Amino acid sequence: MKVLVTGGAGYIGSVATDALLQRGHDVVVFDNLQQGHREAVPLEARFVQGDLNCFKAIDQVVRCETPDAVMHFSANSLVGESMEKPFLYLNDNVVNALNLLKSMENHGVKRIIFSSTANLFSDPSEMPIDETERIVPGSPYGESKAIIERFLHWLSVTSGFRYACLRYFNAAGATERLGEDHNPELHLIPIILQVALGQRKEVKIFGNDYDTPDGTCIRDYIHVEDLIDAHILALGALESGNRVYNLGNGKGFSVKEVVESARRVTGHRIPCEIAKRRPGDPAVLVAGSDKIRNELGWSPRYADIDSIVESAWKWHKDNPNGYEGEKRQVR
Ligand code: UDP
């Protein structure tokens, strides 16, 4: 199969690119390198630097490559930032996605795997959260994903699109070659590991007055390789219908528990300081993923938090400055 991967130079997209290549697929990566890293794209993938905000640019790639399917990872994905910059999020995540979808429709490309989010569920009636839960976006970021999820439904009705919406809970961990490197870094596990490496003084814990056993937010951390396994399974299952899945381990860990895990794994003290809550953060988000387990036989390999943190720690130790200055590596 030929797969177009938007955002294939980013954290999750690069792992997808690698996994698709390893399974013998042909991959074209489209990325503006604003947040992604050229070094993260395997040499076997064709790489096009371009921005989805330019309809002509993406339309030309879709026309020339006519992929069998698209995996759409390109997006801004920070809940807190979206509360400060709602227009940026609606523009980059909605308008740009519409450019991609329009170009797909133009050229008869009708299969898409869409990266969605747990931020669709800011007011869950039950925990863990399964796919029957009411969608109440928690931020402009969540809203931008909800809009595209709905639009994919309509494209399937009006134009015969086949889609999978995969709602990520907290993607974490690393493969041997690919890891998490954002600038600035705002995600919990890489920040904790930067403290372990001596690159930061302490971890700021955003709020210890939530309604949880230790007062800190609980999240469901899912290893990036397990997440991508789900994408590959969903891609193979599109033939038999549209797919919507929540993706997580089904187990939550508080911010303090993640810090404890990193202390065990790294052997470092990792000082913490309590800071104020981050806007848009719900207290608890844990995924109910029985649907994809039952329908597609998905089964995450990294079931405990220590193994996830350990894989990230190995990558951060091997790449203390992320991709910066790294020589191109061939797998
Ligand atoms: N968090 C924190 N300090 C940080 C970064 C994150 O306490 O420096 C908390 C954050 O409030 C959330 C959890 O860690 O409850 C995971 O945050 P992250 O940004 O990694 O992922 P998100 O839940 O936003 O997708």
Side-chain angles (χ1 to χ4, degrees), residues 10-317:
Y11 168 45
I12 304 175
S14 62
V15 177
T17 299
D18 225 19
L20 287 164
L21 289 166
Q22 277 174 37
R23 287 161 173 85
H25 298 291
D26 190 9
V27 182
V28 182
V29 167
F30 185 86
D31 198 300
N32 63 7
L33 296 184
Q34 227 171 61
Q35 298 166 52
H37 307 274
R38 181 67 181 92
E39 298 78 7
V41 181
L43 292 176
E44 302 95 313
R46 274 193 301 298
F47 178 76
V48 180
Q49 183 168 357
D51 202 307
L52 283 175
N53 69 16
C54 174
F55 176 74
K56 263 189 172 166
I58 185 60
D59 194 61
Q60 189 183 354
V61 172
V62 176
R63 178 170 55 80
C64 295
E65 299 285 353
T66 49
D68 300 294
V70 175
M71 286 193 184
H72 178 44
F73 294 96
S74 295
N76 292 317
S77 58
L78 299 171
V79 169
E81 185 184 53
S82 82
M83 300 292 280
E84 286 159 23
K85 301 176 182 169
F87 285 99
L88 176 76
Y89 273 68
L90 272 288
N91 205 58
D92 283 6
N93 294 1
V94 177
V95 179
N96 291 359
L98 295 184
N99 281 341
L100 171 67
L101 293 168
K102 182 80 189 96
S103 70
M104 288 172 66
E105 188 180 51
N106 279 355
H107 305 293
V109 178
K110 295 192 172 178
R111 281 170 172 55
I112 182 163
I113 311 287
F114 176 61
S115 303
S116 189
T117 176
N119 197 252
L120 298 185
F121 309 113
S122 66
D123 186 24
S125 55
E126 272 183 50
M127 205 57 68
I129 302 168
D130 70 21
E131 294 79 1
T132 61
E133 183 58 61
R134 204 165 50 110
I135 291 180
V136 185
S139 67
Y141 165 59
E143 191 70 52
S144 72
K145 295 290 181 177
I147 291 169
I148 297 301
E149 281 206 4
R150 285 304 299 162
F151 191 55
L152 285 172
H153 159 75
W154 287 114
L155 283 182
S156 104
V157 173
T158 60
S159 314
F161 270 57
R162 283 286 169 88
Y163 66 88
C165 295
L166 303 181
R167 285 97 170 244
Y168 309 164
F169 281 60
N170 285 62
T175 71
E176 220 169 280
R177 203 180 71 78
L178 302 165
E180 201 168 357
D181 176 13
H182 302 107
N183 188 14
E185 189 54 76
L186 298 165
H187 291 290
L188 182 64
I189 292 178
I191 282 178
I192 291 174
L193 298 179
Q194 286 176 352
V195 175
L197 282 171
Q199 296 172 336
R200 282 179 195 249
K201 247 179 52 217
E202 80 254 312
V203 179
K204 289 196 175 16
I205 295 180
F206 297 147
N208 66 348
D209 57 353
Y210 284 95
D211 186 13
T212 61
D214 67 18
T216 66
C217 284
I218 292 177
R219 293 288 179 273
D220 183 339
Y221 295 87
I222 169 87
H223 195 279
V224 64
E225 282 184 59
D226 288 326
L227 207 56
I228 294 309
D229 281 350
H231 286 65
I232 307 259
L233 287 170
L235 183 63
L238 284 186
E239 248 5 276
S240 52
N242 299 323
R243 309 275 165 175
V244 176
Y245 296 123
N246 293 356
L247 293 179
N249 263 311
K251 247 167 81 184
F253 292 92
S254 72
V255 175
K256 283 187 178 167
E257 285 172 331
V258 178
V259 172
E260 278 308 323
S261 164
R263 286 179 178 146
R264 281 193 296 275
V265 167
T266 66
H268 288 274
R269 207 165 58 82
I270 311 182
C272 293
E273 185 187 283
I274 304 299
K276 65 179 190 333
R277 288 182 177 201
R278 189 173 66 175
D281 267 343
V284 183
L285 286 173
V286 177
S289 297
D290 285 354
K291 192 173 169 217
I292 186 168
R293 288 172 191 261
N294 295 336
E295 289 184 7
L296 304 186
W298 180 66
S299 169
R301 285 169 287 170
Y302 294 79
D304 66 292
I305 188 71
D306 283 11
S307 65
I308 294 175
V309 171
E310 202 172 329
S311 75
W313 176 230
K314 181 170 184 321
W315 190 82
H316 280 271
K317 269 193 308 186

